């Protein structure tokens, strides 16, 4: 009897292989430095290496100028950490996008996350002109077409196109809520292979979102990785709730952080911070355990902004292994 | 209409440094309706500039004039004699009006008194909002009559970004999220199915990205003009 033919993988990176094998995917995030310090990237890469299938490398997130995601991703590859290169529609037209994608593929970048991008008015160069030649759905479709050997113009790519494992984002907590599952499905139809969601703290809302996604059958077309992240303090919870668009954080979590620091001298900032961070990690681990049980979830994307050390601890505490089945 | 607002007084004073006799020209169309460059605004600005320059010890002569439309040569021809008596024209028209004056009267400096903002409408007394960017390829049939080019900060064609909250835009909480409005309208009209289709990339060559735009209607051109081009 012949063994069943293995489905052809597009770009056999760790992430694609893990998802194809039916393993529970674990990704994290590596924020490039605001300067040209390669050592800072190497340090972060070494912290994450071995604990995640791949790590997102952000593209001028929050519209603040940083080392480019492509350049940072190349340092990650040299360190043995697989990058998921993020690219936004804010700063590049279709010419620059395709050019960078050819270069990224030539250097061995295997995963790409297609994003709209935070508006420049929220960043450090609010007077900048934005591009938005394509939107994120159109970008996904363009990258798929490139994989099939065609530029966005329709012309053939000499020697064949770049093979990316294509990702996109969805925010289950942004408005209009009813449109979000359909928008996720639209990205799948455009050619996305995986979706990473905005940070999940509000489980009831996330469950309702996933229920609709499963109803639509979109979870079978695209692997969905739920965003999770440890809170560092009640102040961070408040900041995310009030300042970051499309975040839903139940007030109970603020209360849990406050409770964890009970009895600590408010003047002892390091002790307070330690207590909050420990509780933040515990909350994160609990969320991962709950999320893992939700139908249609194929993995988690752990976002620990400027706190990469938390990722290995959370992965261990949540009992995640890179070899685990979904 | 074209919506504009007056430049700050300090900017105008600086712009008019060294000028002695200025003709302030208002426009009776869009900028009159949005209270930026009508007869009343011309009079107020002229009086303010005279007073300011007088206080500064460098008096400025400001004459006042109105035309019905600064954006057509026929309407501004009548200014010719007045223009000759002045060092400069201070236009209270939109950017089109300023340039039409500059083209018609090449021997005199033409200065803009307004900042031209957008094509839009008044949504309540004292409030105007943008509605069109003249992209040259209207998509309003697909988006329920709500324009994602002019009303979405990221000009998205396939749904809202992740920053839409309570129906408002991440850039400015006083501005509606265009895609929230598009979705609501599609729900009300029973047309959400159409929003499920992937909208392909826009051809921006009909927009400003194609360079200065020009419309030629051969059916309307004079026979001599046709022969010369």
């Amino acid at each position: 009897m012949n063994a069943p033919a293995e489905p052809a993988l597009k770009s056999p990176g760790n992430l694609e292989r893990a998802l194809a094998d039916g393993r529970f995917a674990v990704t994290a995030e590596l924020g490039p430095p605001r300067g040209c310090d390669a050592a800072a990237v190497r340090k972060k890469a070494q912290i994450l290496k071995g604990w995640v299938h791949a790590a997102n490398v952000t593209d001028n997130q929050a519209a603040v100028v940083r080392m480019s995601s492509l350049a940072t991703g190349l340092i990650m590859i040299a360190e043995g950490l697989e990058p998921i290169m993020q690219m936004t529609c804010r700063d590049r037209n279709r010419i620059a996008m395709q050019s960078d994608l050819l270069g990224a593929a030539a250097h061995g970048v295997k995963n790409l996350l297609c994003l709209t991008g935070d508006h420049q008015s929220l960043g450090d160069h609010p007077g900048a002109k934005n591009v938005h030649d394509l939107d994120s759905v159109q970008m996904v479709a363009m990258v798929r077409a490139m994989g099939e050997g065609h530029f966005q113009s329709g012309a053939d790519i000499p020697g064949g196109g770049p093979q990316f494992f294509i990702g996109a984002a969805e925010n289950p907590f942004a408005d209009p809520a009813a449109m979000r599952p359909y928008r996720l499905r639209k990205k799948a139809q455009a050619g996305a292979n995986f979706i990473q969601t905005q940070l999940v703290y509000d489980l009831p809302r996330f469950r309702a979102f996933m229920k609709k996604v499963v109803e639509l059958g979109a979870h079978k077309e695209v692997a969905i990785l739920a965003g999770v992240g440890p809170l560092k303090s009640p102040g961070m919870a408040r900041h995310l709730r009030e300042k970051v668009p499309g975040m839903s954080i139940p007030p109970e979590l603020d209360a849990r952080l406050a409770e964890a620091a009970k009895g600590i001298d408010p003047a002892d900032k390091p002790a307070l911070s330690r207590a909050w961070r420990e509780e933040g990690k515990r909350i994160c681990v609990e969320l991962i355990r709950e999320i893992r049980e939700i139908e249609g979830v194929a993995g988690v994307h752990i976002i620990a902004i400027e706190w990469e050390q938390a990722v290995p601890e959370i992965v261990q505490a949540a009992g995640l292994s890179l070899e685990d089945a979904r | 209409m074209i919506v504009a607002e007056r430049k700050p007084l300090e900017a105008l004073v600086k712009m008019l440094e060294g000028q002695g006799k200025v003709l302030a020209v208002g426009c009776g169309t869009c900028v009159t309706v949005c209270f930026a460059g009508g007869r009343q605004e011309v009079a107020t600005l002229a009086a303010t500039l005279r007073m300011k320059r007088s206080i500064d010890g460098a008096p400025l002569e400001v004459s006042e004039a109105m035309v019905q439309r600064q954006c057509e040569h026929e309407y501004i021809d009548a200014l010719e004699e007045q223009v000759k008596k002045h060092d400069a024209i201070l236009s209270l028209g939109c950017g089109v009006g300023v340039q039409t004056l500059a083209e018609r009267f090449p021997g005199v400096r033409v200065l803009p008194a307004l900042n031209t903002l957008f094509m839009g409408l008044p949504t309540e007394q004292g409030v105007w909002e943008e509605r069109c960017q003249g992209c040259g390829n209207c998509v309003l049939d697909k988006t329920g009559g709500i324009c994602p080019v002019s009303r979405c900060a990221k000009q998205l064609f396939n749904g809202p970004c992740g920053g839409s909250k309570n129906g408002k835009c991440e850039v400015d909480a006083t501005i509606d999220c265009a895609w929230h409005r598009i979705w609501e309208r599609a729900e009300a009209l029973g047309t959400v199915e159409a929003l499920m289709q992937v909208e392909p990339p826009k051809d921006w060559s009909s927009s400003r990205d194609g360079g200065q735009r020009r419309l030629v209607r051969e059916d309307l051109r004079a026979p001599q003009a046709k022969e010369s081009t």
Side-chain angles (χ1 to χ4, degrees):
Chain A
M1 203 170 77
N2 290 331
E6 277 192 31
L9 298 186
K10 293 171 71 180
S11 62
N14 291 336
L15 179 62
E16 183 176 5
R17 224 182 283 123
L19 288 166
D21 292 352
R23 281 178 281 153
F24 193 72
V26 184
T27 58
E29 200 154 294
L30 188 151
R34 292 204 64 200
C36 44
D37 181 9
V41 177
R42 286 195 283 268
K43 196 174 155 206
K44 286 183 175 184
Q46 285 307 324
I47 293 169
L48 296 174
K49 185 181 171 181
W51 296 102
V52 295
H53 291 109
N56 289 33
V57 50
T58 49
D59 178 13
N60 298 298
Q61 75 270 28
V64 170
V65 175
R66 291 170 181 274
M67 187 186 290
S68 77
S69 59
L70 174 50
T72 309
L74 299 188
I75 300 172
M76 289 164 68
I77 290 175
E79 291 299 303
L81 177 65
E82 180 172 308
I84 299 169
M85 183 171 118
Q86 296 193 183
M87 185 181 275
T88 75
C89 298
R90 180 191 59 224
D91 308 324
R92 289 175 182 79
N93 67 11
R94 62 191 83 177
I95 300 171
M97 280 179 173
Q98 293 180 97
S99 162
D100 278 352
L101 292 176
L102 295 178
H107 279 287
V109 174
K110 299 183 184 306
N111 312 293
L112 179 78
L113 188 75
C114 304
L115 299 169
T116 307
D118 298 311
H119 196 265
Q120 72 277 8
S121 63
L122 308 173
D124 66 343
H125 290 72
K129 191 170 190 288
N130 61 18
V131 180
H132 298 295
D133 178 21
L134 305 183
D135 65 27
S136 58
V137 177
Q138 294 163 346
M139 180 179 175
V140 165
M142 178 183 78
V143 179
R144 174 165 73 179
M146 289 179 81
E148 292 161 359
H150 310 291
F151 287 115
Q152 194 276 326
S153 65
D156 287 346
I157 301 174
Q163 303 300 314
F164 288 105
F165 193 53
I166 308 170
E170 189 45 73
N171 185 349
F173 312 104
D175 290 322
M179 192 178 185
R180 295 291 160 178
Y182 293 104
R183 186 167 175 266
L184 181 149
R185 186 181 65 174
K186 201 176 199 181
K187 288 183 171 181
Q189 286 165 350
N193 306 116
F194 69 100
I195 295 280
Q196 290 174 328
T197 76
Q198 173 65 290
L199 286 165
V200 177
Y201 292 103
D202 186 339
L203 280 173
R205 276 185 73 179
F206 184 63
R207 284 202 179 94
F209 169 81
M210 285 305 300
K211 189 163 175 260
K212 184 69 191 175
V213 168
V214 169
E215 240 174 74
L216 295 173
H219 66 304
K220 290 183 178 154
E221 298 171 42
V222 65
I224 299 163
L225 278 61
V228 291
L231 293 165
K232 292 177 186 172
S233 65
M236 179 183 173
R238 268 197 309 279
H239 174 82
L240 291 177
R241 181 183 297 124
E242 289 162 16
K243 302 284 181 205
V244 178
M247 289 286 289
S248 175
I249 303 180
E252 302 95 84
L253 298 186
D254 305 47
R256 274 188 64 175
L257 292 170
E259 181 66 26
K262 217 173 164 186
I264 296 172
D265 178 4
D268 190 352
K269 299 278 189 238
L272 268 184
S273 176
R274 270 197 304 277
W276 285 331
R277 284 175 179 234
E278 284 307 314
E279 188 63 16
K281 282 186 283 186
R282 269 194 292 276
I283 293 169
C284 187
V285 167
E286 289 168 25
L287 283 167
I288 291 174
R289 289 195 174 128
E290 295 272 358
I291 285 166
R292 214 178 154 170
E293 301 304 318
I294 298 173
E295 188 184 359
V297 173
V300 283
H301 175 54
I302 305 169
I303 307 168
I305 301 160
E306 293 305 314
W307 190 16
E308 285 76 8
Q309 301 87 327
V311 173
E313 294 174 39
I314 289 166
V315 168
Q316 281 179 294
L320 299 174
S321 150
L322 299 187
E323 304 306 323
D324 273 359
R326 226 177 272 170
Chain B
M1 72 172 89
I2 292 176
V3 179
E5 67 176 351
R6 209 196 75 194
K7 283 178 177 286
L9 183 64
E10 313 80 74
L12 292 175
V13 168
K14 190 161 191 330
M15 198 188 285
L16 291 166
E17 264 172 23
Q19 306 291 342
K21 284 176 80 171
V22 171
L23 179 63
V25 183
C27 176
T29 310
C30 306
V31 293
T32 289
V33 184
C34 68
F35 304 95
R39 189 177 302 280
Q40 185 64 46
E41 289 76 39
V42 170
T44 307
L45 178 60
T48 309
L49 287 171
R50 285 183 207 111
M51 200 182 303
K52 170 73 178 142
R53 286 281 293 261
S54 166
I55 294 167
D56 293 348
L60 179 69
E61 263 184 57
V62 187
S63 316
E64 299 165 33
M66 273 301 289
V67 293
Q68 185 52 39
R69 258 186 243 167
Q70 266 189 37
C71 58
E72 285 194 59
H73 284 208
E74 290 89 324
Y75 288 88
I76 59 176
D77 281 347
L79 294 173
E80 188 159 15
E81 287 310 308
Q82 268 178 293
V83 168
K84 282 178 187 164
K85 299 174 199 154
H86 294 83
D87 308 326
I89 300 173
L90 181 62
S91 165
L92 281 85
C94 68
V96 184
V98 175
Q99 295 184 64
T100 311
L101 287 167
E103 284 166 30
R104 176 64 184 79
F105 305 114
V108 60
R109 286 188 72 188
V110 183
L111 305 169
L114 306 186
N115 288 323
T116 305
L117 302 176
F118 49 79
M119 285 188 267
L121 84 167
T123 53
E124 60 178 277
Q125 196 167 329
V127 179
W128 290 264
E129 280 186 17
E130 182 169 19
R131 288 292 182 267
C132 181
Q133 286 196 353
C135 73
N137 190 2
C138 191
V139 297
L140 286 168
D141 56 318
K142 295 177 181 172
T143 55
I146 297 158
C147 176
V149 177
S150 58
R151 298 180 66 181
C152 169
K154 301 174 183 175
Q155 302 187 321
L156 306 181
F157 287 91
N158 282 290
C161 74
S164 177
K165 196 171 190 177
N166 303 323
K168 298 296 178 183
C169 175
E170 74 173 21
V171 172
D172 182 341
T174 67
I175 301 284
D176 283 343
C177 165
W179 272 99
H180 196 105
R181 297 286 313 280
I182 291 168
W183 177 259
E184 281 180 342
R185 197 157 160 79
E187 277 185 324
L189 296 174
T191 57
V192 292
E193 231 9 78
L195 297 181
M196 306 296 172
Q197 309 306 315
V198 175
E199 178 65 21
K202 185 173 173 67
D203 178 353
W204 292 104
S205 65
S206 61
S207 187
R208 186 218 58 83
D209 307 80
Q212 188 203 315
R213 289 171 279 178
R214 186 166 185 253
L215 172 67
V216 180
R217 284 275 304 267
E218 293 298 347
D219 56 329
L220 299 175
R221 293 183 100 185
Q224 312 91 289
K226 282 185 193 174
E227 280 158 23
S228 69
T229 51

